[in-house]
Amino acid sequence: MTVTSAPPESVDIVIIGAGVSGVGSACYLRDAFPGKKIVVLEGRGRIGGTWDLFRYPGVRSDSELHTYGYQFKPWSHEHAIADGHLIREYLEETAAENHIDGLIRYHHQVVSADWSSTEGAWTLQVRVAVPGQKAKTLAIKTNWVYGATGYYRYEEGFTPQFEGREDFAGDVLHPQFWPENYDYAGKKVIVIGSGATAITMVPAMTTGPGAAEHVTMLQRTPTYVMTLPRVDKVAKFLYQILGLERGYAVTRLKNVWRDFFFVGYMLKFPDSGRKLMRSLTRKALPDGYAVDTHFNPPYKPWEQRLCMTPDGDFFEAITDGRASVVTDKIDRFTKTGIRLASGEEIAADVIVTATGLNMRMFGGIPQTVDGEKLAIGDSVTYRGMLLSGLPNWSFAFGYTKYSSWTLKVGLTAQYVIQLIRHMEAHGYNQVVPVAEPGMATEPLLDLNAGYVTRTADTLPKQGTELPWRMLTSYQADKRLLKSDVADDHLQFSSGSDRRRNGRAVAATGSASRVQVR
């Protein structure tokens, strides 16, 4: 790999990632700052992030697209629960229509980030690995970094160690790395896991001319599964009478509040919520089905996310006998399948390990601040958008409970825009949140899913009080972001400030009152 000796390229804002967060953020920032040089660095060769990486059978959203889509770009397809390729096409259209497709640099992977308070800038080392060309590393200098990298490792999924795996004669696949055009027609398949990926794959692999002979979903712990209409009939009606843009806006508002009240009800009245889920599941399955064995999780509703099945396709696959659910622990893999702790053996030609993801912030990019390495796990989130000790670096981290992921992306971009304008108005070139010493903290996410608990120590923390607490609903964040953009928890400085020990001293004087509207 060649390391270039040319001077660093200077840009105003670098967005890392060209998935749903990166594309949306780039649209907001380019519109707000037409005179600034903005670039989007994407390590992969196509737009889409998650929706380009995941190619397993049936890959789709687990949220409806009227809120998962952008506020400024109506979702026009009739499917509210959309397949992955439709979402990727939506992102491509958004980038082209808002003229940010030319800002994206593909095959550009940020490998390190170093902040200098003296320069008031980040220096990013970027590996450029275009297929067919010799890889090289170049430097980019920027005043602001916007992390839109998602929260998991693209190059590595989570797969537990299974005894006897090498004995199995068939194929063992992970959904994150699904082989292109893989043929499972007429084969017996075991899908290990009970999360959104498994709930999606089971009906997809049992449908169509290339369907498997039978798919068994093997789970250690049950999950709440809820039917959601693939087509939102109310949205369809609103589109017809109000038109695309107004119909989309009203549908979006309707769904935001629907989700808020539904999840709030499930959290406030978990016993009633559990009974409701059991009743709905029992109605979706054949009489006498062992609902309490296979769909009675040991946790309360929304302590982990509910899985959605569009039009009940998952339940239909079970009812028709094309799929089945087994709840047990794995003893070991065998030559012909999996032997369970109960002694039963399930035959298989293919085993799919839909066992989850590995979480990681900012793609694992090592960061230093004035020569000192920053440990992300020791940082605390500020408004869920900035991190303590990390200057001029915002990040997009969407909702995981009450609302769709993308709703937070829009709010984050709007706040960052106001914050940058505030800095420019006062001659500041640096801002950093400063957490109070000894402040009480909690894990970043209030979900007990395995993919969260496995890596909780490596993720930033959240405080127990605002503005350090990570809010979980769009409504609450929207109220918070109407408050002053600058407060006592933010330390501002400029190039003219005096410095001690390489760190900026906070600028004096009162901050102006800029509001997010």
Side-chain angles (χ1 to χ4, degrees), residues 328-361:
D328 204 339
K329 294 181 179 180
I330 295 174
D331 178 39
R332 62 172 292 124
F333 284 25
T334 67
K335 183 177 181 180
T336 58
I338 294 178
R339 188 169 69 216
L340 306 176
S342 63
E344 177 187 358
E345 184 165 337
I346 307 174
D349 303 303
V350 182
I351 296 175
V352 181
T353 55
T355 46
L357 309 167
N358 285 320
M359 296 188 71
R360 184 173 65 177
M361 292 291 291

Side-chain angles (χ1 to χ4, degrees), residues 201-218:
M201 295 187 73
V202 169
M205 297 183 77
T206 59
T207 306
E213 176 186 327
H214 187 83
V215 177
T216 301
M217 189 179 86
L218 174 57

Side-chain angles (χ1 to χ4, degrees), residues 178-189:
W178 194 261
E180 187 175 2
N181 300 319
Y182 182 78
D183 184 13
Y184 51 84
K187 296 182 179 180
K188 295 186 289 292
V189 180

Side-chain angles (χ1 to χ4, degrees), residues 1-2 4 41-46 105-111 125-138:
M1 181 173 63
T2 302
T4 61
L41 303 181
E42 170 56 53
R44 299 174 56 78
R46 288 181 62 179
R105 301 181 184 182
Y106 296 106
H107 305 291
H108 280 57
Q109 181 182 6
V110 180
V111 295
Q125 298 297 323
V126 182
R127 183 177 186 271
V128 183
V130 179
Q133 301 180 17
K134 188 175 182 180
K136 61 182 179 180
T137 297
L138 52 82

